[in-house]
Amino acid sequence: MLKATLTATVLSLTMASFAGAQDYTLRLSHGDNESNPTHLTAVKFQELVDEYTDGRVAVQIFPSNALGTETEVAQALRMGSIEAEILYTGNLVPLAPSAGVLMLPYAYTTTEQAHTAMDELIDPLNERLVPEAGVRALGLLEKGFRVLTTNQPVETLDSLQGLKIRVSPNDIAIKTFQAWGIEPLPMDWAEVFPALQQGVIDGQENPYTTAISSRFYEVQSDITEIHYMMWTGPLLISERVFQSYPEDIQEAVARAGREAVEYGRQVSGELTEEAKAELVERGMTLHGAPQDEEKWAEAAEALWPEFYSQIGGEEWATQAIKIINSSAQ
Ligand code: MLT
């Protein structure tokens, strides 16, 4: 029901032209389709920017990678040739390694902890994102744990063996699956559905809401809650573009970004519950956590020190881990 209402609103707002005297156009790219919480967050940002800038900034949304892959668009943000993007952290890490602290496997145990940690991390993270990739995070979205969808049941580490699982092209995901005993296939997001359909891969990992919005139930039968990582992703603006705005517009856009992300987190939580029920209705089997989840966690957590050099160095990793750990209390 929530989804139906939101989808109708989204469609009308995406089509809307926000006519009026606009001083700036801000193109916002993302990789999901229009029923995904990423898009709902983008639409909320569009509305809030319009409101807080009195229509001086027009946000145009480009869903489904229409402007390029998530990593390509992040590169364009550095140049300022595209203004804004919401993307999965894993697809930003190749350009901005420090964002990898958001992806340490099994770092978060609850959604609340993740929100507190992300809100504490955003300022120190921005001090690193700007020099690393020429981008600034206005907020950090979270869409729930990435769950494993497969074409056969996976209830233990043993039953994962031999499966061809796609991961996003970043070292943390690749090494984690290697520690679980398989060789994952790094692949761009746009290629995942056809690869599942053609049997090139047996599975992938993304949140429940993505399994619905990307129709994975048509090509996958089972879901395991591996809890290793949340889908986190920044709402980014090009630093070059941001610095070209007058101060009042900067403040309005920053406020709109923070609030849009808060909205996106809340909607994601609600849609995740709806998605689970719908996936069962559509014939998928939800297994919950693996029976031997502690083995998965142990193998992945042992990798943390190995990641430090790739996520901005030991000093930054230690600072970030302290923030993440204190958010659990
Ligand atoms: C990925 O797996 O590449 C991302 O999670 C896709 C997305 O941005 O939703």
Side-chain angles (χ1 to χ4, degrees):
M1 191 57 205
L2 171 72
K3 193 170 70 184
T5 318
L6 288 170
T7 305
T9 315
V10 164
L11 284 176
S12 62
L13 284 168
T14 308
M15 304 303 290
S17 61
F18 285 83
Q22 290 133 3
D23 298 338
Y24 306 95
T25 300
L26 193 155
R27 284 161 303 156
L28 169 61
S29 169
H30 70 79
D32 287 298
N33 63 36
E34 295 180 20
S35 59
N36 190 279
T38 299
H39 190 71
L40 303 173
T41 306
V43 170
K44 180 54 90 179
F45 180 63
Q46 182 184 55
E47 289 174 316
L48 293 174
V49 167
D50 184 58
E51 183 184 336
Y52 297 154
T53 65
D54 292 325
R56 288 174 62 204
V57 180
V59 176
Q60 291 175 353
I61 304 172
F62 294 84
S64 303
N65 292 314
L67 297 181
T69 68
E70 294 188 2
T71 309
E72 283 165 356
V73 172
Q75 266 158 341
L77 258 59
R78 180 196 279 282
M79 307 310 297
S81 53
I82 298 174
E83 292 78 22
E85 177 177 27
I86 305 176
L87 81 171
Y88 170 47
T89 303
N91 295 328
L92 175 64
V93 167
L95 307 178
S98 295
V101 294
L102 297 168
M103 300 180 63
L104 286 168
Y106 295 96
Y108 313 111
T109 47
T110 66
T111 307
E112 294 70 30
Q113 180 204 357
H115 292 178
T116 310
M118 289 193 295
D119 292 343
E120 293 279 316
L121 280 170
I122 190 160
D123 288 340
L125 184 58
N126 271 331
E127 281 172 27
R128 307 185 69 95
L129 292 187
V130 172
E132 282 178 4
V135 295
R136 169 179 298 271
L138 300 175
L140 296 172
L141 180 61
E142 169 277 317
K143 298 197 293 185
F145 283 103
R146 298 174 75 85
V147 295
L148 183 66
T149 72
T150 43
N151 55 11
Q152 62 188 72
V154 173
E155 294 186 275
T156 60
L157 215 38
D158 277 350
S159 51
L160 179 74
Q161 303 312 302
L163 293 186
K164 289 174 281 171
I165 305 295
R166 175 269 174 181
V167 292
S168 85
N170 73 79
D171 222 40
I172 297 182
I174 295 169
K175 290 228 166 79
T176 303
F177 275 82
Q178 285 172 340
W180 291 336
I182 64 166
E183 198 51 57
L185 280 88
M187 184 183 286
D188 187 72
W189 172 232
E191 295 163 24
V192 175
F193 189 87
L196 288 169
Q197 204 167 30
Q198 290 154 21
V200 176
I201 48 175
D202 300 309
Q204 64 82 47
E205 38 80 67
N206 255 294
Y208 277 114
T209 47
T210 301
I212 290 289
S213 63
S214 293
R215 296 183 290 109
F216 287 152
Y217 50 80
E218 289 179 7
V219 287
Q220 298 276 265
S221 54
D222 294 79
I223 296 194
T224 312
E225 286 186 9
I226 51 178
H227 291 133
Y228 86 120
M229 202 180 281
M230 286 187 153
W231 189 105
T232 61
L235 165 47
L236 292 180
I237 188 161
S238 156
E239 180 66 3
R240 189 180 275 208
V241 170
F242 189 72
Q243 293 306 337
S244 74
Y245 290 158
E247 210 172 306
D248 62 328
I249 296 286
Q250 283 185 350
E251 277 167 21
V253 167
R255 179 178 170 203
R258 271 193 314 275
E259 293 179 13
V261 158
E262 266 168 40
Y263 169 84
R265 290 174 183 176
Q266 185 200 326
V267 158
S268 286
E270 289 160 9
L271 291 182
T272 296
E273 291 315 307
E274 285 190 19
K276 283 185 188 177
E278 188 175 339
L279 289 165
V280 172
E281 267 167 38
R282 290 184 179 273
M284 291 195 81
T285 305
L286 273 46
H287 297 281
Q291 291 158 15
D292 52 356
E293 191 171 23
E294 67 294 339
K295 281 197 206 165
W296 300 59
E298 241 171 67
E301 282 172 31
L303 296 171
W304 282 24
E306 214 180 296
F307 294 143
Y308 296 163
S309 61
Q310 300 160 41
I311 60 173
E314 189 162 351
E315 196 184 325
W316 166 237
T318 309
Q319 181 190 350
I321 289 167
K322 214 165 151 193
I323 293 174
I324 293 170
N325 288 344
S326 65
S327 65
Q329 287 144 20

